[in-house]
Amino acid sequence: MRLKVLVDNNTLIDRYFRGEPGVSYYLEEGGKKILFDLGYSDLFIDNARKMGIDLLDLDYVVLSHGHLDHTWGLGPLVRLITEAKVEGVHHKTPALVAHPAVFLSRRIGTLGEMGPLLRPGELCRHFDLTLSEEPVWLTDRLVFLGEILRENDFEAESPLGKVTIGGGEEDDFLMDDSALAYRSDEGIVIVTGCSHSGICNILEQAMRITGERRVVDLIGGLHLMKPSERRLEETKRYLERVRPRRIHPCHCTDLPSRLALAGVADLREVGVGLDLRLD
C-alpha cells in the first residue's frame, strides 16, 4: 500500500505544500485508488496536483466521519468531476463509502452546521453510494471498519455537540466515526481521521475483522487534544500491550500527547507531503 498525506494541520519541512485544520489521504492498494477524507476546502486538490495525483481516476472516496474538516471538500470534488464531464475529460465515478450517520446535521455551540454541506440525495448523482454500518472490504487487504464498538470506559465517553435525528437534537457521540485497516504481511496498519470512537476501540475492531493482532503502524488523528489524565494514561497502557511498531499521529493530536506516546512506540513526523510505502 502507498499513502500520501494531502491535507493535515502541518506540512513537512522544506516541502512547498499548504496545510489546514483537516485531513485528507490518498491511498493506492490492490490496483485501487482511494481518497480518504477531503479536508475543509479545495486544498486537497491543489496539493494532489502538485504531487502528480489524478483525482479524476479514483475508485473510492471514503469518509471517516461527518465533521466539516473531513467532508467539506466534497463540494470541490463534485465541481472537479462535473467540469471533467462538461469538457469531455476522462474520469471515473467513484464509490463513496461511509457510515450512514455521516450525513446527519450537526452543530457545536453556536457554530451552526458542522456536518457535510451535501446530502446523499445530491451526492448519488456524482458517486455510487455505499453507506454501511458493517465493514466494507475495498480490496483483499484494505477494509473500512464500519461502526466501531465502544468497549472501554475511557474513550468516547463525552458527546461533542449535538446531532439532529428524527427532527430532534441529541448529544453527538459520533457513532459514524470509523477508520481503515490494511492487512500487510507483517501486521495491520490503521489509518484514521479523528478517532472520535477511540484509537484503542478502533484497534480492537481492526483486529477482530482482520484476524491479525500484530500492529505495524497507526496513521492519523488520535483525538487527543487536552485529554484527561486517565484517558491518556489508559491509552498509553493499551499501546504498551499492543506494541505498535510505529505511530504517525497528526491532526487532532496535541504536542503533550505526542510526547507521551513517544514513550511507548516509535513516533514519526507527519505533514502534507508525507509519502509512505507499506508492504
Side-chain angles (χ1 to χ4, degrees):
M1 183 178 75
R2 186 173 189 180
L3 180 149
K4 293 186 177 184
V5 178
L6 303 184
V7 173
D8 182 35
N9 298 52
N10 300 303
T11 63
L12 293 185
I13 295 172
D14 296 333
R15 298 299 305 275
Y16 294 95
F17 299 111
R18 291 182 295 129
E20 69 181 17
V23 157
S24 181
Y25 312 106
Y26 172 78
L27 299 91
E28 293 182 358
E29 205 293 305
K32 301 297 182 182
K33 299 177 180 180
I34 301 125
L35 183 65
F36 183 48
D37 284 348
L38 306 94
Y40 175 77
S41 68
D42 62 353
L43 181 60
F44 72 102
I45 296 175
D46 292 340
N47 285 336
R49 187 177 294 118
K50 283 187 175 182
M51 295 179 199
I53 296 170
D54 183 4
L55 294 179
L56 294 174
D57 196 34
L58 295 172
D59 297 287
Y60 293 102
V61 175
V62 182
L63 301 179
S64 66
H65 66 292
H67 274 165
L68 76 174
D69 49 340
H70 299 258
T71 65
W72 278 18
L74 278 168
L77 183 60
V78 167
R79 287 196 294 273
L80 183 72
I81 294 172
T82 300
E83 289 170 10
K85 292 178 181 178
V86 171
E87 299 298 333
V89 175
H90 172 74
H91 64 281
K92 290 181 179 178
T93 300
L96 194 158
V97 179
H99 188 287
V102 157
F103 296 104
L104 295 175
S105 180
R106 293 182 151 94
R107 70 175 180 87
I108 299 177
T110 60
L111 293 179
E113 183 59 70
M114 297 290 291
L117 298 179
L118 297 174
R119 306 299 182 193
E122 300 153 334
L123 292 168
C124 68
R125 302 170 187 172
H126 306 281
F127 304 96
D128 294 327
L129 297 189
T130 301
L131 304 181
S132 176
E133 297 180 7
E134 300 300 318
V136 177
W137 285 92
L138 309 179
T139 71
D140 290 342
R141 289 176 175 256
L142 185 66
V143 61
F144 170 74
L145 295 176
E147 187 169 311
I148 306 296
L149 295 179
R150 314 289 177 94
E151 296 186 310
N152 62 56
D153 63 356
F154 60 89
E155 294 181 308
E157 73 278 13
S158 301
L160 184 60
K162 299 289 185 178
V163 60
T164 300
I165 300 176
E169 283 194 329
E170 301 178 7
D171 287 340
D172 190 4
F173 287 90
L174 287 152
M175 299 306 298
D176 53 307
D177 180 78
S178 192
L180 298 176
Y182 170 63
R183 185 174 57 196
S184 78
D185 292 338
E186 298 180 341
I188 52 175
V189 176
I190 306 298
V191 186
T192 72
C194 265
S195 303
H196 288 285
S197 53
I199 189 59
C200 306
N201 286 326
I202 288 171
L203 270 165
E204 286 298 310
Q205 178 118 342
M207 291 173 182
R208 278 191 299 271
I209 292 170
T210 63
E212 173 63 76
R213 296 203 65 85
R214 297 172 300 166
V215 181
V216 176
D217 209 337
L218 307 178
I219 305 163
L222 304 182
H223 198 58
L224 294 174
M225 299 173 63
K226 297 182 179 179
S228 68
E229 182 177 348
R230 178 171 182 260
R231 178 172 181 178
L232 186 55
E233 286 303 312
E234 291 291 346
T235 300
K236 285 173 58 181
R237 288 193 187 98
Y238 176 85
L239 293 179
E240 284 173 344
R241 293 196 303 271
V242 172
R243 301 177 64 185
R245 192 173 302 174
R246 294 180 299 275
I247 301 179
H248 284 84
C250 64
H251 184 43
C252 53
T253 315
D254 63 25
L255 181 59
S257 297
R258 297 185 199 205
L259 293 175
L261 296 181
V264 299
D266 179 10
L267 188 140
R268 303 291 182 90
E269 184 179 11
V270 186
V272 179
L274 181 67
D275 187 350
L276 293 176
R277 296 173 187 265
L278 300 150
D279 294 330

